[in-house]
Every structure is written in C-alpha cells, then in structure tokens.
Amino acid sequence: MGCADRVVLAYSGGVDTSVCIPYLKQEWGIKDIITLSVDLGQEDELGPIQAKALECGALESLIVDAQETFITNYGFRAIQANALYENRYPLSTALARPLISKLLVEVAEKYGADAVAHGCTAKGNDQVRFDLGILALNPDLKILAPAREWNMSREEAIAYGEKFGIEFSVKKSSPFSIDRNILGRSIEAGPLEDPMFEPPEEIYLMTKAIANTPDKPEYIEIGFEKGVPVSLNCQNLDSVTLISQLNKIAGNHGIGRLDMIENRVVGIKSREIYEVPALLMLIDAHRDLESLTLTADVTQYKQGVGDTYSKLIYEGLWYSPLKEALDAFISQTQDRVTGTVRIKLFKGNAVIVGRCSDNSIYSPNLSTYGADDNFDHKAAEGFIYIWGLPTRVWAQKNKR
Ligand code: ARG
C-alpha cells in the first residue's frame, strides 16, 4: 500500500477508528494524522472524542457541528424525493456519508493533506459511499481504509490499540453494530443475523414499545413549504429543533421501527433494524401533500424518479450527474408543495387524517357525489368509447 504524509481520518471515537490512528502511523508510515469528528446528532459527547483522538496519537482533532446542514441539504432533499430504498428504508445512515465525505475533503484541502481515511470494513455499503463521495469531490486525494485490510477481530483490534497505550472503556462490547444520527438509528449484526430472530426490546432507543405508548391518540400538524417541513402545530421551527421534536413525539407513540432484509451494494443481503420516527413520518406526510397539489402525471412519474434517487443515494452516487439532474426535476415539482398535513399518532401508527393547501388542485365540485356536482356525466360515455377503442378492436379480433 503506497502511503501518504498527512491524512485526515473520519473519527467516531470507537474502537476501529481509534485503532486506525496507531495503525496508520506504525504499519503504513503516515506522519501526521488529523481526525475529523462530525456531529450529526448522534448524541455522543464530543469533548471526550476529541481528547481520545489526541490520546491515540492524532496531531490535531477537529470537531464540526453539521446537524443543520445534514438535515437541510441531505435529509430534506430525500424527503422531497420521498426516497425509500427498496420501498422501505429512508436512508438515514446513507445520507450522512456524502456530507462526511465532503467535510473530509474540505479539511484535507485546507490542511494540505494528501490522503483521507475512514474506518469502514470491506463488506458494507459505507465504504462505497465514502470512497465514491471523496473521489467525486477530489479525485487526486488518496483514500485509505485500513480496517478493510487489516483482518483483525474486534478483540485483536483492542489488543493492537493497547500495545500503543490506548485504553477502551467498554471492552465487552455489544454484539450489535449501531450507527446513529439525528435522522435515525441502524442496528445490525450479532443475533440479528438470524432473520427469524426477533429484535430484543433493548436495542431500541428512539421508539417506545407499543405496550408503553400512551393510551390516547395525539394529533399534530406539520407545515411544508415547497416540499420542506417548516412547522409543527403552526409554529415555525429551525430544522434541528423540528426533527428532534418530531423524533420525540413519534417515538413516544412507538412510530418509526423497521425490520428488513436489504440488498447491499456489494451483493450481500443483510438484516437491518431501523428507528426512523421523524423521517418516516415526514416522507409519508410529504407524499400525501404532493397528492393534493401535484397533477396525476407528475405524481406518477415522480414515483419512478424517487426510486432511482433512493437507489443512487444507497449506492454512493450522491455526487453524480444523474443525481444533479434528478434534483433539478424534483425541485421544479416542489414549487407547489406547500400546505399542512394533519396526523394522528397512536400505538405505532402515524395515520394521516387531513391535508390542506392553497395550491390544492383537488376540486370539490368535480369530486363530490352531492348536489353541487359540476362533472359532466354525459361526457363519460363518449370518453369511454374513445378510450376503449383499442380494447374493442382487440377483443373482436380475438373473439372465438
Ligand atoms: N444498512 C444501512 C445502510 O447501508 C445502515 C448501515 C449502517 N451501519 C450499521 N452499523 N448498522 O445504509
């Protein structure tokens, strides 16, 4: 492995990324390591992480609060697209990777580093997202992924770190692999690898078990402006507050759990548990508001765009010409998606019970079965005659 002088390492404070520091220096001969820890709302204390990096031998340890950027430039885009990978996973982990990649590249350029590094292993999606994100933004930077090559078990990694005086407080680690940010939690591995194994209650942190949720429903109203959620119960909130509050409210009613088998980029199937209370509810509400404000053809065409969009986010192609082109389409459609969605939260369900918009193209006089009906009933017969012509010709030809 040809190496570098100065590396910027994406640093979480966990075992793998901590061990990366002595490993890169000792085994790959790197002189300077600058760590970058990005606050995406994972609720880790950043002070100790910063100190840990220096203790492990980093030259400098940087912390960046990117929660707002994460939500507005990544999360809200995904909501506007109604992005659900394989129709279910709202990409809470996947969306964080292009942002971290961007910050890594910016720091590398600012500090004159010739490489960036991450602690991803060889079987996951995240390595693909980091590598592609970094290389799309600066193809001249080297990308180092020591954990992809070192072949150490967790115990061996801990022992390796200890050789260089690094102490790990939680030696008996949880069997689960967990990724967390303000948009959600992803939990995999350990006993969950058996697809029949029911997730134990204690893995959930953002969502209550149904047995413990309130026995009365709660109603909320979410306001959208051009496809972006901006208010809760008529109160305008900044993006971080809005998402945090919605996570709490929905989580309290046990909303936002997913248990699925998904297809990874590297061809492996994996069993993943997600907690994504605010994000799932917002995508549902957003899609509903679109149904009130967009024409039928745009709604239906956009569904396919959303599928492609979620697949490319999952596959690490956030910085790509296709993504940009789809963004232009999606933005154009969102111009009209302003209004309010009313949701009833109860026992694990977020049921949309009402919606309104100044841009509504729902026409009561056309839709009604009542007296003020404007629809021209006589026109239906002629319409069906023309619309059904090909069917009539085909049926006559095939009649035995
Ligand atoms: N499967 C999800 C994804 O690819 C989450 C992976 C995150 N990692 C974890 N340790 N659970 O986006």
Side-chain angles (χ1 to χ4, degrees), residues 8-21 33-38 42 46 48-56 58 61-63 100 104 117-119 166 168:
V8 181
L9 167 70
Y11 185 67
S12 71
V15 171
D16 281 344
T17 53
S18 293
V19 170
C20 278
I21 299 173
I33 297 183
I34 297 166
T35 61
L36 173 66
S37 308
V38 186
Q42 57 271 54
L46 294 165
I49 291 180
Q50 191 165 33
K52 185 91 196 159
L54 298 173
E55 181 197 321
C56 294
S61 168
L62 309 173
I63 305 276
I100 299 171
L104 282 171
H118 59 73
I166 305 175
F168 296 100

PDB file of all heavy atoms in Angstrom, residues 8-21 33-38 42 46 48-56 58 61-63 100 104 117-119 166 168:
ATOM      1  N   VAL A   8      -6.272  12.908   6.721  1.00  0.00           N
ATOM      2  CA  VAL A   8      -7.431  13.305   7.525  1.00  0.00           C
ATOM      3  C   VAL A   8      -8.318  12.077   7.704  1.00  0.00           C
ATOM      4  O   VAL A   8      -8.757  11.468   6.733  1.00  0.00           O
ATOM      5  CB  VAL A   8      -8.239  14.438   6.848  1.00  0.00           C
ATOM      6  CG1 VAL A   8      -9.422  14.830   7.731  1.00  0.00           C
ATOM      7  CG2 VAL A   8      -7.355  15.638   6.582  1.00  0.00           C
ATOM      8  N   LEU A   9      -8.533  11.717   8.972  1.00  0.00           N
ATOM      9  CA  LEU A   9      -9.272  10.488   9.285  1.00  0.00           C
ATOM     10  C   LEU A   9     -10.658  10.815   9.835  1.00  0.00           C
ATOM     11  O   LEU A   9     -10.793  11.607  10.770  1.00  0.00           O
ATOM     12  CB  LEU A   9      -8.475   9.694  10.336  1.00  0.00           C
ATOM     13  CG  LEU A   9      -9.185   8.525  11.043  1.00  0.00           C
ATOM     14  CD1 LEU A   9      -9.423   7.354  10.073  1.00  0.00           C
ATOM     15  CD2 LEU A   9      -8.366   8.035  12.249  1.00  0.00           C
ATOM     16  N   ALA A  10     -11.671  10.187   9.261  1.00  0.00           N
ATOM     17  CA  ALA A  10     -13.031  10.324   9.808  1.00  0.00           C
ATOM     18  C   ALA A  10     -13.083   9.540  11.106  1.00  0.00           C
ATOM     19  O   ALA A  10     -12.849   8.324  11.124  1.00  0.00           O
ATOM     20  CB  ALA A  10     -14.049   9.773   8.818  1.00  0.00           C
ATOM     21  N   TYR A  11     -13.370  10.247  12.210  1.00  0.00           N
ATOM     22  CA  TYR A  11     -13.167   9.658  13.531  1.00  0.00           C
ATOM     23  C   TYR A  11     -14.429   9.679  14.383  1.00  0.00           C
ATOM     24  O   TYR A  11     -15.035  10.727  14.597  1.00  0.00           O
ATOM     25  CB  TYR A  11     -12.051  10.441  14.246  1.00  0.00           C
ATOM     26  CG  TYR A  11     -11.664   9.867  15.582  1.00  0.00           C
ATOM     27  CD1 TYR A  11     -11.045   8.623  15.657  1.00  0.00           C
ATOM     28  CD2 TYR A  11     -11.919  10.561  16.767  1.00  0.00           C
ATOM     29  CE1 TYR A  11     -10.692   8.084  16.888  1.00  0.00           C
ATOM     30  CE2 TYR A  11     -11.562  10.032  17.996  1.00  0.00           C
ATOM     31  CZ  TYR A  11     -10.949   8.787  18.044  1.00  0.00           C
ATOM     32  OH  TYR A  11     -10.608   8.258  19.258  1.00  0.00           O
ATOM     33  N   SER A  12     -14.816   8.492  14.876  1.00  0.00           N
ATOM     34  CA  SER A  12     -16.036   8.408  15.687  1.00  0.00           C
ATOM     35  C   SER A  12     -15.747   8.256  17.171  1.00  0.00           C
ATOM     36  O   SER A  12     -16.633   8.384  18.004  1.00  0.00           O
ATOM     37  CB  SER A  12     -16.864   7.200  15.241  1.00  0.00           C
ATOM     38  OG  SER A  12     -16.207   6.001  15.640  1.00  0.00           O
ATOM     39  N   GLY A  13     -14.500   7.924  17.500  1.00  0.00           N
ATOM     40  CA  GLY A  13     -14.159   7.674  18.884  1.00  0.00           C
ATOM     41  C   GLY A  13     -14.311   6.209  19.268  1.00  0.00           C
ATOM     42  O   GLY A  13     -13.987   5.817  20.379  1.00  0.00           O
ATOM     43  N   GLY A  14     -14.823   5.391  18.355  1.00  0.00           N
ATOM     44  CA  GLY A  14     -14.993   3.962  18.620  1.00  0.00           C
ATOM     45  C   GLY A  14     -13.689   3.191  18.457  1.00  0.00           C
ATOM     46  O   GLY A  14     -12.641   3.777  18.144  1.00  0.00           O
ATOM     47  N   VAL A  15     -13.780   1.880  18.669  1.00  0.00           N
ATOM     48  CA  VAL A  15     -12.574   1.050  18.646  1.00  0.00           C
ATOM     49  C   VAL A  15     -11.875   1.110  17.281  1.00  0.00           C
ATOM     50  O   VAL A  15     -10.677   1.405  17.193  1.00  0.00           O
ATOM     51  CB  VAL A  15     -12.921  -0.423  18.990  1.00  0.00           C
ATOM     52  CG1 VAL A  15     -11.710  -1.325  18.737  1.00  0.00           C
ATOM     53  CG2 VAL A  15     -13.366  -0.528  20.441  1.00  0.00           C
ATOM     54  N   ASP A  16     -12.630   0.859  16.220  1.00  0.00           N
ATOM     55  CA  ASP A  16     -11.998   0.765  14.904  1.00  0.00           C
ATOM     56  C   ASP A  16     -11.276   2.054  14.500  1.00  0.00           C
ATOM     57  O   ASP A  16     -10.112   2.017  14.111  1.00  0.00           O
ATOM     58  CB  ASP A  16     -13.027   0.391  13.828  1.00  0.00           C
ATOM     59  CG  ASP A  16     -13.331  -1.109  13.851  1.00  0.00           C
ATOM     60  OD1 ASP A  16     -12.547  -1.868  14.463  1.00  0.00           O
ATOM     61  OD2 ASP A  16     -14.350  -1.510  13.262  1.00  0.00           O
ATOM     62  N   THR A  17     -11.992   3.179  14.614  1.00  0.00           N
ATOM     63  CA  THR A  17     -11.332   4.408  14.146  1.00  0.00           C
ATOM     64  C   THR A  17     -10.209   4.835  15.090  1.00  0.00           C
ATOM     65  O   THR A  17      -9.250   5.465  14.662  1.00  0.00           O
ATOM     66  CB  THR A  17     -12.338   5.570  13.941  1.00  0.00           C
ATOM     67  OG1 THR A  17     -13.104   5.768  15.123  1.00  0.00           O
ATOM     68  CG2 THR A  17     -13.279   5.274  12.789  1.00  0.00           C
ATOM     69  N   SER A  18     -10.306   4.454  16.374  1.00  0.00           N
ATOM     70  CA  SER A  18      -9.207   4.773  17.292  1.00  0.00           C
ATOM     71  C   SER A  18      -7.963   3.967  16.929  1.00  0.00           C
ATOM     72  O   SER A  18      -6.851   4.506  16.875  1.00  0.00           O
ATOM     73  CB  SER A  18      -9.605   4.471  18.738  1.00  0.00           C
ATOM     74  OG  SER A  18     -10.620   5.345  19.161  1.00  0.00           O
ATOM     75  N   VAL A  19      -8.163   2.683  16.666  1.00  0.00           N
ATOM     76  CA  VAL A  19      -7.028   1.822  16.315  1.00  0.00           C
ATOM     77  C   VAL A  19      -6.411   2.255  14.979  1.00  0.00           C
ATOM     78  O   VAL A  19      -5.217   2.095  14.749  1.00  0.00           O
ATOM     79  CB  VAL A  19      -7.469   0.340  16.295  1.00  0.00           C
ATOM     80  CG1 VAL A  19      -6.400  -0.544  15.698  1.00  0.00           C
ATOM     81  CG2 VAL A  19      -7.797  -0.115  17.730  1.00  0.00           C
ATOM     82  N   CYS A  20      -7.230   2.845  14.126  1.00  0.00           N
ATOM     83  CA  CYS A  20      -6.716   3.347  12.843  1.00  0.00           C
ATOM     84  C   CYS A  20      -5.526   4.306  13.041  1.00  0.00           C
ATOM     85  O   CYS A  20      -4.618   4.351  12.214  1.00  0.00           O
ATOM     86  CB  CYS A  20      -7.805   4.115  12.076  1.00  0.00           C
ATOM     87  SG  CYS A  20      -8.940   3.069  11.142  1.00  0.00           S
ATOM     88  N   ILE A  21      -5.564   5.062  14.136  1.00  0.00           N
ATOM     89  CA  ILE A  21      -4.531   6.093  14.305  1.00  0.00           C
ATOM     90  C   ILE A  21      -3.129   5.474  14.473  1.00  0.00           C
ATOM     91  O   ILE A  21      -2.253   5.721  13.642  1.00  0.00           O
ATOM     92  CB  ILE A  21      -4.895   7.061  15.461  1.00  0.00           C
ATOM     93  CG1 ILE A  21      -6.242   7.757  15.121  1.00  0.00           C
ATOM     94  CG2 ILE A  21      -3.794   8.098  15.666  1.00  0.00           C
ATOM     95  CD1 ILE A  21      -6.807   8.616  16.243  1.00  0.00           C
ATOM     96  N   ILE A  33      -1.567  12.666  11.451  1.00  0.00           N
ATOM     97  CA  ILE A  33      -2.972  12.279  11.341  1.00  0.00           C
ATOM     98  C   ILE A  33      -3.841  13.355  11.978  1.00  0.00           C
ATOM     99  O   ILE A  33      -3.653  13.710  13.146  1.00  0.00           O
ATOM    100  CB  ILE A  33      -3.232  10.914  12.004  1.00  0.00           C
ATOM    101  CG1 ILE A  33      -2.416   9.865  11.251  1.00  0.00           C
ATOM    102  CG2 ILE A  33      -4.727  10.583  11.980  1.00  0.00           C
ATOM    103  CD1 ILE A  33      -2.600   8.479  11.727  1.00  0.00           C
ATOM    104  N   ILE A  34      -4.741  13.880  11.175  1.00  0.00           N
ATOM    105  CA  ILE A  34      -5.707  14.854  11.671  1.00  0.00           C
ATOM    106  C   ILE A  34      -7.049  14.147  11.690  1.00  0.00           C
ATOM    107  O   ILE A  34      -7.472  13.575  10.689  1.00  0.00           O
ATOM    108  CB  ILE A  34      -5.760  16.081  10.736  1.00  0.00           C
ATOM    109  CG1 ILE A  34      -4.397  16.782  10.733  1.00  0.00           C
ATOM    110  CG2 ILE A  34      -6.873  17.034  11.147  1.00  0.00           C
ATOM    111  CD1 ILE A  34      -4.223  17.784   9.626  1.00  0.00           C
ATOM    112  N   THR A  35      -7.701  14.142  12.847  1.00  0.00           N
ATOM    113  CA  THR A  35      -9.007  13.462  12.884  1.00  0.00           C
ATOM    114  C   THR A  35     -10.129  14.483  12.712  1.00  0.00           C
ATOM    115  O   THR A  35     -10.006  15.643  13.101  1.00  0.00           O
ATOM    116  CB  THR A  35      -9.233  12.711  14.209  1.00  0.00           C
ATOM    117  OG1 THR A  35      -9.206  13.645  15.287  1.00  0.00           O
ATOM    118  CG2 THR A  35      -8.182  11.645  14.413  1.00  0.00           C
ATOM    119  N   LEU A  36     -11.191  14.019  12.119  1.00  0.00           N
ATOM    120  CA  LEU A  36     -12.377  14.857  11.940  1.00  0.00           C
ATOM    121  C   LEU A  36     -13.591  14.097  12.475  1.00  0.00           C
ATOM    122  O   LEU A  36     -13.893  12.991  12.019  1.00  0.00           O
ATOM    123  CB  LEU A  36     -12.584  15.171  10.454  1.00  0.00           C
ATOM    124  CG  LEU A  36     -13.892  15.891  10.124  1.00  0.00           C
ATOM    125  CD1 LEU A  36     -13.906  17.297  10.721  1.00  0.00           C
ATOM    126  CD2 LEU A  36     -14.106  15.960   8.618  1.00  0.00           C
ATOM    127  N   SER A  37     -14.233  14.684  13.474  1.00  0.00           N
ATOM    128  CA  SER A  37     -15.456  14.085  14.009  1.00  0.00           C
ATOM    129  C   SER A  37     -16.614  15.016  13.697  1.00  0.00           C
ATOM    130  O   SER A  37     -16.554  16.205  13.987  1.00  0.00           O
ATOM    131  CB  SER A  37     -15.342  13.891  15.523  1.00  0.00           C
ATOM    132  OG  SER A  37     -14.155  13.182  15.825  1.00  0.00           O
ATOM    133  N   VAL A  38     -17.623  14.470  13.070  1.00  0.00           N
ATOM    134  CA  VAL A  38     -18.735  15.302  12.624  1.00  0.00           C
ATOM    135  C   VAL A  38     -19.939  15.052  13.519  1.00  0.00           C
ATOM    136  O   VAL A  38     -20.367  13.911  13.685  1.00  0.00           O
ATOM    137  CB  VAL A  38     -19.087  14.993  11.157  1.00  0.00           C
ATOM    138  CG1 VAL A  38     -20.149  15.967  10.663  1.00  0.00           C
ATOM    139  CG2 VAL A  38     -17.844  15.060  10.275  1.00  0.00           C
ATOM    140  N   GLN A  42     -25.608  12.400  16.797  1.00  0.00           N
ATOM    141  CA  GLN A  42     -25.513  11.024  17.305  1.00  0.00           C
ATOM    142  C   GLN A  42     -25.522  10.988  18.828  1.00  0.00           C
ATOM    143  O   GLN A  42     -25.476   9.935  19.429  1.00  0.00           O
ATOM    144  CB  GLN A  42     -24.300  10.290  16.723  1.00  0.00           C
ATOM    145  CG  GLN A  42     -22.936  10.916  16.944  1.00  0.00           C
ATOM    146  CD  GLN A  42     -22.549  11.886  15.850  1.00  0.00           C
ATOM    147  OE1 GLN A  42     -23.281  12.813  15.542  1.00  0.00           O
ATOM    148  NE2 GLN A  42     -21.389  11.709  15.267  1.00  0.00           N
ATOM    149  N   LEU A  46     -18.738  15.205  22.503  1.00  0.00           N
ATOM    150  CA  LEU A  46     -17.650  15.427  21.562  1.00  0.00           C
ATOM    151  C   LEU A  46     -16.319  15.745  22.243  1.00  0.00           C
ATOM    152  O   LEU A  46     -15.260  15.422  21.713  1.00  0.00           O
ATOM    153  CB  LEU A  46     -18.037  16.525  20.578  1.00  0.00           C
ATOM    154  CG  LEU A  46     -19.218  16.073  19.690  1.00  0.00           C
ATOM    155  CD1 LEU A  46     -19.847  17.248  18.973  1.00  0.00           C
ATOM    156  CD2 LEU A  46     -18.779  15.013  18.692  1.00  0.00           C
ATOM    157  N   PRO A  48     -14.841  14.344  24.948  1.00  0.00           N
ATOM    158  CA  PRO A  48     -14.056  13.124  25.151  1.00  0.00           C
ATOM    159  C   PRO A  48     -13.557  12.505  23.842  1.00  0.00           C
ATOM    160  O   PRO A  48     -12.460  11.938  23.804  1.00  0.00           O
ATOM    161  CB  PRO A  48     -15.064  12.177  25.826  1.00  0.00           C
ATOM    162  CG  PRO A  48     -16.072  13.069  26.470  1.00  0.00           C
ATOM    163  CD  PRO A  48     -16.152  14.301  25.627  1.00  0.00           C
ATOM    164  N   ILE A  49     -14.330  12.656  22.773  1.00  0.00           N
ATOM    165  CA  ILE A  49     -13.900  12.097  21.486  1.00  0.00           C
ATOM    166  C   ILE A  49     -12.662  12.837  20.981  1.00  0.00           C
ATOM    167  O   ILE A  49     -11.678  12.239  20.538  1.00  0.00           O
ATOM    168  CB  ILE A  49     -15.047  12.178  20.447  1.00  0.00           C
ATOM    169  CG1 ILE A  49     -16.161  11.200  20.835  1.00  0.00           C
ATOM    170  CG2 ILE A  49     -14.532  11.889  19.045  1.00  0.00           C
ATOM    171  CD1 ILE A  49     -17.334  11.173  19.902  1.00  0.00           C
ATOM    172  N   GLN A  50     -12.723  14.161  21.137  1.00  0.00           N
ATOM    173  CA  GLN A  50     -11.588  14.980  20.728  1.00  0.00           C
ATOM    174  C   GLN A  50     -10.332  14.599  21.519  1.00  0.00           C
ATOM    175  O   GLN A  50      -9.247  14.426  20.953  1.00  0.00           O
ATOM    176  CB  GLN A  50     -11.940  16.453  20.968  1.00  0.00           C
ATOM    177  CG  GLN A  50     -10.976  17.423  20.353  1.00  0.00           C
ATOM    178  CD  GLN A  50     -11.577  18.820  20.317  1.00  0.00           C
ATOM    179  OE1 GLN A  50     -12.348  19.199  21.197  1.00  0.00           O
ATOM    180  NE2 GLN A  50     -11.222  19.579  19.299  1.00  0.00           N
ATOM    181  N   ALA A  51     -10.522  14.419  22.835  1.00  0.00           N
ATOM    182  CA  ALA A  51      -9.393  14.062  23.688  1.00  0.00           C
ATOM    183  C   ALA A  51      -8.856  12.680  23.324  1.00  0.00           C
ATOM    184  O   ALA A  51      -7.643  12.437  23.302  1.00  0.00           O
ATOM    185  CB  ALA A  51      -9.822  14.095  25.153  1.00  0.00           C
ATOM    186  N   LYS A  52      -9.783  11.766  23.036  1.00  0.00           N
ATOM    187  CA  LYS A  52      -9.401  10.387  22.693  1.00  0.00           C
ATOM    188  C   LYS A  52      -8.497  10.356  21.458  1.00  0.00           C
ATOM    189  O   LYS A  52      -7.512   9.624  21.414  1.00  0.00           O
ATOM    190  CB  LYS A  52     -10.669   9.566  22.429  1.00  0.00           C
ATOM    191  CG  LYS A  52     -10.424   8.100  22.181  1.00  0.00           C
ATOM    192  CD  LYS A  52     -10.485   7.350  23.476  1.00  0.00           C
ATOM    193  CE  LYS A  52      -9.875   5.972  23.355  1.00  0.00           C
ATOM    194  NZ  LYS A  52      -9.479   5.452  24.664  1.00  0.00           N
ATOM    195  N   ALA A  53      -8.859  11.163  20.457  1.00  0.00           N
ATOM    196  CA  ALA A  53      -8.082  11.184  19.215  1.00  0.00           C
ATOM    197  C   ALA A  53      -6.638  11.595  19.499  1.00  0.00           C
ATOM    198  O   ALA A  53      -5.686  10.981  18.996  1.00  0.00           O
ATOM    199  CB  ALA A  53      -8.716  12.139  18.214  1.00  0.00           C
ATOM    200  N   LEU A  54      -6.487  12.608  20.344  1.00  0.00           N
ATOM    201  CA  LEU A  54      -5.133  13.080  20.663  1.00  0.00           C
ATOM    202  C   LEU A  54      -4.382  12.018  21.459  1.00  0.00           C
ATOM    203  O   LEU A  54      -3.205  11.760  21.225  1.00  0.00           O
ATOM    204  CB  LEU A  54      -5.212  14.398  21.442  1.00  0.00           C
ATOM    205  CG  LEU A  54      -5.868  15.556  20.661  1.00  0.00           C
ATOM    206  CD1 LEU A  54      -6.073  16.773  21.555  1.00  0.00           C
ATOM    207  CD2 LEU A  54      -5.041  15.937  19.425  1.00  0.00           C
ATOM    208  N   GLU A  55      -5.105  11.376  22.372  1.00  0.00           N
ATOM    209  CA  GLU A  55      -4.510  10.306  23.187  1.00  0.00           C
ATOM    210  C   GLU A  55      -4.029   9.162  22.287  1.00  0.00           C
ATOM    211  O   GLU A  55      -3.016   8.518  22.567  1.00  0.00           O
ATOM    212  CB  GLU A  55      -5.583   9.822  24.175  1.00  0.00           C
ATOM    213  CG  GLU A  55      -5.175   8.739  25.136  1.00  0.00           C
ATOM    214  CD  GLU A  55      -6.427   8.065  25.741  1.00  0.00           C
ATOM    215  OE1 GLU A  55      -7.409   8.788  26.041  1.00  0.00           O
ATOM    216  OE2 GLU A  55      -6.416   6.826  25.880  1.00  0.00           O
ATOM    217  N   CYS A  56      -4.758   8.923  21.201  1.00  0.00           N
ATOM    218  CA  CYS A  56      -4.366   7.844  20.290  1.00  0.00           C
ATOM    219  C   CYS A  56      -3.212   8.246  19.376  1.00  0.00           C
ATOM    220  O   CYS A  56      -2.703   7.426  18.615  1.00  0.00           O
ATOM    221  CB  CYS A  56      -5.549   7.421  19.419  1.00  0.00           C
ATOM    222  SG  CYS A  56      -6.893   6.667  20.315  1.00  0.00           S
ATOM    223  N   ALA A  58      -3.200  11.436  17.427  1.00  0.00           N
ATOM    224  CA  ALA A  58      -3.505  12.378  16.347  1.00  0.00           C
ATOM    225  C   ALA A  58      -2.766  13.690  16.583  1.00  0.00           C
ATOM    226  O   ALA A  58      -2.562  14.108  17.722  1.00  0.00           O
ATOM    227  CB  ALA A  58      -5.005  12.632  16.275  1.00  0.00           C
ATOM    228  N   SER A  61      -7.230  17.306  16.325  1.00  0.00           N
ATOM    229  CA  SER A  61      -8.514  16.626  16.403  1.00  0.00           C
ATOM    230  C   SER A  61      -9.614  17.662  16.212  1.00  0.00           C
ATOM    231  O   SER A  61      -9.819  18.519  17.058  1.00  0.00           O
ATOM    232  CB  SER A  61      -8.598  15.962  17.787  1.00  0.00           C
ATOM    233  OG  SER A  61      -9.898  15.531  18.039  1.00  0.00           O
ATOM    234  N   LEU A  62     -10.294  17.579  15.083  1.00  0.00           N
ATOM    235  CA  LEU A  62     -11.289  18.596  14.731  1.00  0.00           C
ATOM    236  C   LEU A  62     -12.707  18.084  14.948  1.00  0.00           C
ATOM    237  O   LEU A  62     -12.990  16.908  14.724  1.00  0.00           O
ATOM    238  CB  LEU A  62     -11.139  19.007  13.265  1.00  0.00           C
ATOM    239  CG  LEU A  62      -9.740  19.402  12.806  1.00  0.00           C
ATOM    240  CD1 LEU A  62      -9.728  19.619  11.301  1.00  0.00           C
ATOM    241  CD2 LEU A  62      -9.277  20.659  13.534  1.00  0.00           C
ATOM    242  N   ILE A  63     -13.554  19.003  15.375  1.00  0.00           N
ATOM    243  CA  ILE A  63     -14.969  18.682  15.583  1.00  0.00           C
ATOM    244  C   ILE A  63     -15.790  19.658  14.746  1.00  0.00           C
ATOM    245  O   ILE A  63     -15.546  20.855  14.778  1.00  0.00           O
ATOM    246  CB  ILE A  63     -15.358  18.911  17.071  1.00  0.00           C
ATOM    247  CG1 ILE A  63     -14.442  18.134  18.016  1.00  0.00           C
ATOM    248  CG2 ILE A  63     -16.829  18.638  17.297  1.00  0.00           C
ATOM    249  CD1 ILE A  63     -14.822  16.715  18.238  1.00  0.00           C
ATOM    250  N   ILE A 100     -20.184  13.666   5.243  1.00  0.00           N
ATOM    251  CA  ILE A 100     -18.894  13.437   5.908  1.00  0.00           C
ATOM    252  C   ILE A 100     -17.768  13.447   4.865  1.00  0.00           C
ATOM    253  O   ILE A 100     -16.703  14.029   5.077  1.00  0.00           O
ATOM    254  CB  ILE A 100     -18.911  12.111   6.702  1.00  0.00           C
ATOM    255  CG1 ILE A 100     -19.986  12.169   7.795  1.00  0.00           C
ATOM    256  CG2 ILE A 100     -17.536  11.826   7.322  1.00  0.00           C
ATOM    257  CD1 ILE A 100     -20.253  10.845   8.498  1.00  0.00           C
ATOM    258  N   LEU A 104     -14.519  15.847   4.913  1.00  0.00           N
ATOM    259  CA  LEU A 104     -13.167  15.266   4.891  1.00  0.00           C
ATOM    260  C   LEU A 104     -12.328  15.932   3.800  1.00  0.00           C
ATOM    261  O   LEU A 104     -11.165  16.305   4.022  1.00  0.00           O
ATOM    262  CB  LEU A 104     -13.237  13.759   4.607  1.00  0.00           C
ATOM    263  CG  LEU A 104     -13.623  12.823   5.754  1.00  0.00           C
ATOM    264  CD1 LEU A 104     -13.858  11.413   5.222  1.00  0.00           C
ATOM    265  CD2 LEU A 104     -12.540  12.801   6.840  1.00  0.00           C
ATOM    266  N   ALA A 117      -8.890   9.147   5.234  1.00  0.00           N
ATOM    267  CA  ALA A 117      -9.059   7.765   5.670  1.00  0.00           C
ATOM    268  C   ALA A 117     -10.376   7.584   6.401  1.00  0.00           C
ATOM    269  O   ALA A 117     -10.909   8.530   6.985  1.00  0.00           O
ATOM    270  CB  ALA A 117      -7.897   7.373   6.600  1.00  0.00           C
ATOM    271  N   HIS A 118     -10.912   6.366   6.323  1.00  0.00           N
ATOM    272  CA  HIS A 118     -12.108   6.036   7.091  1.00  0.00           C
ATOM    273  C   HIS A 118     -11.962   4.632   7.662  1.00  0.00           C
ATOM    274  O   HIS A 118     -11.107   3.863   7.222  1.00  0.00           O
ATOM    275  CB  HIS A 118     -13.370   6.153   6.234  1.00  0.00           C
ATOM    276  CG  HIS A 118     -13.374   5.272   5.008  1.00  0.00           C
ATOM    277  ND1 HIS A 118     -13.547   3.910   5.084  1.00  0.00           N
ATOM    278  CD2 HIS A 118     -13.215   5.568   3.695  1.00  0.00           C
ATOM    279  CE1 HIS A 118     -13.510   3.396   3.868  1.00  0.00           C
ATOM    280  NE2 HIS A 118     -13.304   4.380   3.001  1.00  0.00           N
ATOM    281  N   GLY A 119     -12.799   4.292   8.625  1.00  0.00           N
ATOM    282  CA  GLY A 119     -12.661   3.022   9.336  1.00  0.00           C
ATOM    283  C   GLY A 119     -13.622   1.946   8.860  1.00  0.00           C
ATOM    284  O   GLY A 119     -13.894   0.995   9.601  1.00  0.00           O
ATOM    285  N   ILE A 166      -3.509   2.611  24.190  1.00  0.00           N
ATOM    286  CA  ILE A 166      -4.890   3.107  24.090  1.00  0.00           C
ATOM    287  C   ILE A 166      -5.790   2.246  24.958  1.00  0.00           C
ATOM    288  O   ILE A 166      -5.782   1.017  24.851  1.00  0.00           O
ATOM    289  CB  ILE A 166      -5.395   3.047  22.634  1.00  0.00           C
ATOM    290  CG1 ILE A 166      -4.435   3.812  21.719  1.00  0.00           C
ATOM    291  CG2 ILE A 166      -6.802   3.615  22.538  1.00  0.00           C
ATOM    292  CD1 ILE A 166      -4.787   3.693  20.263  1.00  0.00           C
ATOM    293  N   PHE A 168      -9.596   1.141  26.198  1.00  0.00           N
ATOM    294  CA  PHE A 168     -11.003   1.173  25.776  1.00  0.00           C
ATOM    295  C   PHE A 168     -11.883   0.882  26.975  1.00  0.00           C
ATOM    296  O   PHE A 168     -11.708  -0.133  27.653  1.00  0.00           O
ATOM    297  CB  PHE A 168     -11.249   0.152  24.671  1.00  0.00           C
ATOM    298  CG  PHE A 168     -10.483   0.479  23.414  1.00  0.00           C
ATOM    299  CD1 PHE A 168      -9.297  -0.180  23.113  1.00  0.00           C
ATOM    300  CD2 PHE A 168     -10.933   1.470  22.561  1.00  0.00           C
ATOM    301  CE1 PHE A 168      -8.585   0.143  21.970  1.00  0.00           C
ATOM    302  CE2 PHE A 168     -10.224   1.795  21.416  1.00  0.00           C
ATOM    303  CZ  PHE A 168      -9.046   1.124  21.123  1.00  0.00           C
TER     304      PHE A 168
END
